[in-house]
């Protein structure tokens, strides 16, 4: 039986011209479109206006903490240490799928933010009460928690950039501010960069199911940067740490049951 | 105002990486067992996989069951995603490491998919219920014959295999019998067992012979504006 055609909205290669997500590559996209715009088109399904692309670029720039010590980037660095840059990129990025640490989790932050936005209709007091109840009913708040410092400087920077672009009165920005305020008061937790990035993506109209993958796409440059340098360096210390840097904490030395049997049987005359 | 110190300099971190399974300070030990002087002498590769994933050596009956389960799971068909993807990587002329990484990634996903689709079976195996859930029951002669061959190959009587499971359910049941439990151990063991099969297929794909690949299998139907 011949398989049926798989529907795709992504692309069609044609003679002399190609289609990409509903647009002619050479006639429509070449020239005015940007890399950021192509990424959004890939997942978001529409072309962004220049000012929208600029906000997306703000998010990507604010995300840029590319320190090679940060766990997912360290993975890229380690995997690239034999000289394969794309192996480093792939190892670092594939790890993000469903991971609690890293940009995939921004999707959960977006879901929470979407619920808050729905609760944010109506009078002020009632809104806050509903969000308060939600915050108390959610054991682990996605988009919250800042490691090793009091506040996430990326949140402050992106929030300031969004303010300068006049985004404060937008639906998900207001939800972000309300949620952050309530969580700070009720749970003493601070938002991390996942929350404002999720707000930006929701504001631009991205579906909840696409938030995670686009969030990862926005920080791909950090994986490329670390994998490229890591592959070039081929650092021996990343290929194998010195023995004295490793502490064994597993089971103590022991004989297997079969070895024990052998030893025992040799003792029996 | 910025300076050269940040939270990663000031926060307290351990100075050592912790190894939890392999002790390499002298001759390598796996979960405490001497690999070269003990495991290599007394255990097969499949049994060592069980030890690696569980920390516990299987007995001879369990070990032999693991051998059979691994053998039954090894074949990777060219039509299935892991071998298909790895074969395409070979066609594109990638490095061996690129091909292995490509196949292993798809294979790990296949393992996750298979185990997720058998969550009900895992619950059944844990509880030891008398009746196999119908969705894991043999669909016909192919499954029945494969499971019959499996029963012949396994030295022990594994009661679960008498309940007419599907071939895949039988492999998972046998791995469970061998001591592998939970999604993590089962996904890992399925991936290990099948990787040679994926590579067997993919390494034979000639590099660069792009005209020999069925480009429109399956066909795609572009729904966007042209």
């Amino acid at each position: 039986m011949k398989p049926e055609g798989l529907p795709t909205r992504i692309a069609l290669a044609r003679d002399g011209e190609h289609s990409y997500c509903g647009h002619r590559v050479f006639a429509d996209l070449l020239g005015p479109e940007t890399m950021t715009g192509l990424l959004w088109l890939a997942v978001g399904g529409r072309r962004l206006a220049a000012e929208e692309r600029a906000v997306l670029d703000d998010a990507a720039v604010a995300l840029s903490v590319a320190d090679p010590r940060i766990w997912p980037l360290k993975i890229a660095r380690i995997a690239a240490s034999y000289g394969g840059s794309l192996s480093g990129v792939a190892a670092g990025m594939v790890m993000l799928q469903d991971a609690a640490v890293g940009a995939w989790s921004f999707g959960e932050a977006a879901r929470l933010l979407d619920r808050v936005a729905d609760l944010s209709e109506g009078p002020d007091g009632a809104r806050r009460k509903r969000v308060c109840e939600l915050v108390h009913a959610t054991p682990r708040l996605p988009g919250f928690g800042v490691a090793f410092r009091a506040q996430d400087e990326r949140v402050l920077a992106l929030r300031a950039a969004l303010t300068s672009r006049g985004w404060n009165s937008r639906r998900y920005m207001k939800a972000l501010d309300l949620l952050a305020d309530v969580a700070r008061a009720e749970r003493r937790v601070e938002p991390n960069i996942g929350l404002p990035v999720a707000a930006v993506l929701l504001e631009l109209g991205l579906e909840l199911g696409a938030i995670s993958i686009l969030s990862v796409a926005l920080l791909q440059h950090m994986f490329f940067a670390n994998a490229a340098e890591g592959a070039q360096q081929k650092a021996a210390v990343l290929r194998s740490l010195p023995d004295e840097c490793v502490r064994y904490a597993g089971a103590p030395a022991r004989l297997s049951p079969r070895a024990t049997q052998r030893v025992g049987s040799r003792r029996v005359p | 105002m910025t300076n050269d110190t940040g939270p990663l300099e000031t926060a307290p971190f351990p100075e050592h990486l912790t190894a939890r399974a392999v002790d390499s300070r002298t001759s390598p030990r796996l979960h405490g067992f001497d690999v070269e002087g003990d495991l290599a002498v007394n255990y097969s590769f499949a049994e060592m996989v069980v030890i690696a994933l569980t920390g516990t050596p299987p007995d001879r009956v369990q070990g032999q069951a693991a051998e059979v389960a691994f053998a039954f799971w090894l074949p990777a068909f060219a039509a299935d995603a892991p071998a298909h993807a790895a074969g395409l990587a070979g066609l594109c002329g990638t490095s061996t490491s690129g091909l292995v990484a490509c196949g292993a990634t798809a294979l790990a996903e296949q393992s996750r998919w298979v185990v997720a689709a058998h969550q009900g079976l895992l619950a059944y195996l844990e509880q030891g219920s008398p009746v196999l859930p119908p969705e894991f029951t043999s669909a016909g002669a192919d499954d029945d014959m494969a499971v019959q061959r499996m029963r012949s190959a396994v030295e022990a009587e594994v009661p679960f295999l008498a309940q007419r499971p599907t071939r895949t359910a039988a492999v998972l049941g046998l791995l469970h019998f061998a001591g592998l439990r939970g999604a993590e151990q089962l996904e890992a063991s399925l991936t290990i067992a099948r990787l040679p099969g994926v590579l067997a297929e993919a390494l034979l794909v000639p590099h660069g012979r792009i005209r020999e690949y069925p480009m429109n299998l399956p066909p795609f139907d572009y729904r966007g504006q042209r």
Side-chain angles (χ1 to χ4, degrees):
Chain A
M1 191 177 71
K2 203 172 176 183
E4 284 184 18
L6 280 174
T8 177
R9 64 163 195 86
I10 300 303
L12 179 67
R14 295 187 283 139
D15 286 332
E17 175 62 287
H18 305 298
S19 301
Y20 177 71
C21 299
H23 301 274
R24 294 171 299 171
V25 171
F26 304 140
D28 303 333
L29 302 177
L30 185 60
E33 200 46 273
T34 67
M35 185 68 190
T36 308
L38 290 177
L39 272 180
W40 183 271
L41 200 47
V43 182
R46 72 175 177 93
R47 289 182 76 178
L48 293 180
E51 57 271 25
E52 292 176 310
R53 285 199 308 252
V55 174
L56 207 55
D57 280 330
D58 283 347
V61 172
L63 274 165
S64 299
V65 183
D67 191 310
R69 292 172 294 179
I70 294 172
W71 312 280
L73 303 173
K74 181 92 166 267
I75 293 171
R77 202 90 184 188
I78 293 168
S81 67
Y82 294 95
S85 52
L86 287 182
S87 297
V89 172
M93 293 188 78
V94 76
M95 180 286 297
L96 293 176
Q97 180 94 44
D98 299 326
V101 169
W104 193 264
S105 65
F106 294 5
E108 285 305 308
R111 283 184 180 82
L112 178 64
L113 204 54
D114 194 44
R115 290 183 66 189
V116 171
D118 285 344
L119 295 174
S120 299
E121 308 294 335
D124 279 0
R127 284 185 320 179
R128 190 175 179 92
K129 184 167 177 285
R130 288 195 294 260
V131 173
C132 222
E133 288 166 357
L134 176 64
V135 163
H136 282 292
T138 310
R140 186 184 160 278
L141 286 173
F144 285 87
V146 181
F148 312 129
R149 57 220 196 271
Q151 279 188 306
D152 188 337
E153 64 291 337
R154 299 169 298 178
V155 173
L156 304 177
L158 180 56
R159 196 66 193 82
L162 294 170
T163 298
S164 72
R165 291 189 185 278
W167 268 42
N168 278 351
S169 60
R170 291 181 176 239
R171 172 181 165 87
Y172 290 103
M173 292 299 113
K174 290 197 291 187
L176 163 68
D177 290 340
L178 177 58
L179 175 60
D181 194 37
V182 169
R184 192 175 291 123
E186 302 294 323
R187 300 273 291 269
R188 296 184 179 177
V189 287
E190 287 291 327
N192 60 46
I193 188 64
L195 209 60
V197 169
V200 165
L201 299 181
L202 287 169
E203 204 66 64
L204 291 173
L206 196 62
E207 289 178 8
L208 283 171
I211 299 280
S212 289
I213 193 166
L214 195 75
S215 300
V216 171
L218 289 178
L219 46 74
Q220 61 184 298
H221 59 289
M222 295 189 279
F223 288 94
F224 278 88
N226 275 290
E229 188 176 75
Q232 195 175 31
Q233 286 178 343
K234 301 185 188 69
V237 71
L238 286 179
R239 292 202 301 277
S240 188
L241 290 169
D243 288 348
E244 59 270 24
C245 296
V246 180
R247 183 182 64 92
Y248 176 69
R254 51 185 170 157
L255 280 179
S256 74
R258 290 181 198 167
T260 307
Q261 270 182 348
R262 283 180 181 227
V263 171
S265 65
R266 279 202 295 272
R267 283 182 184 152
V268 177
Chain B
M1 186 81 173
T2 59
N3 57 41
D4 283 341
T5 61
L8 301 185
E9 277 75 30
T10 52
F13 296 107
E15 294 189 350
H16 295 87
L17 182 71
T18 301
R20 295 178 173 85
V22 174
D23 183 359
S24 59
R25 287 172 296 182
T26 53
S27 68
R29 287 181 177 275
L30 175 63
H31 295 301
F33 304 114
D34 181 354
V35 171
E36 297 168 4
D38 182 347
L39 299 184
V41 177
N42 295 308
Y43 292 87
S44 69
F45 179 73
E47 289 175 318
M48 283 186 65
V49 172
V50 175
I51 296 169
L53 296 177
T54 67
T56 305
D59 62 28
R60 288 195 188 279
V61 169
Q62 288 177 306
Q64 198 267 338
E67 292 282 356
V68 173
F70 271 44
F72 269 65
W73 197 248
L74 185 144
F77 302 110
D80 292 346
H84 191 172
L88 267 175
L91 184 82
C92 292
T94 186
S95 62
T96 308
S97 75
L99 182 149
V100 173
C102 180
T105 302
L107 181 57
E109 283 292 291
Q110 184 192 54
S111 304
R112 179 182 62 79
W113 177 273
V114 167
V115 172
H118 288 78
Q119 281 301 312
L121 177 75
L122 304 192
Y124 156 84
L125 290 167
E126 283 301 318
Q127 291 157 8
S129 308
V131 183
L132 181 65
E135 63 267 36
F136 309 118
T137 303
S138 162
D142 287 351
D143 275 341
D144 287 339
M145 287 166 63
V147 174
Q148 187 52 48
R149 287 190 287 269
M150 184 182 282
R151 291 182 73 184
S152 301
V154 176
E155 290 169 5
E157 183 60 36
V158 182
F160 165 68
L161 296 181
Q163 296 197 37
R164 292 194 64 218
T166 63
R167 185 181 188 280
T168 299
V171 169
L172 288 168
L174 212 50
L175 291 171
H176 182 271
F177 177 81
L180 293 154
R181 301 290 151 79
E184 286 178 6
Q185 293 179 7
L186 290 169
E187 283 182 35
S189 53
L190 292 180
T191 302
I192 293 164
R194 186 161 279 178
L195 186 59
V198 171
L199 301 183
E201 190 65 45
L203 287 169
L204 291 175
V205 174
H207 287 197
R209 303 260 278 272
I210 55 176
R211 287 186 180 279
E212 295 177 13
Y213 177 74
M215 199 81 176
N216 291 305
L217 183 64
F220 283 89
D221 180 12
Y222 180 63
R223 301 278 173 87
Q225 189 181 334
R226 284 163 194 259

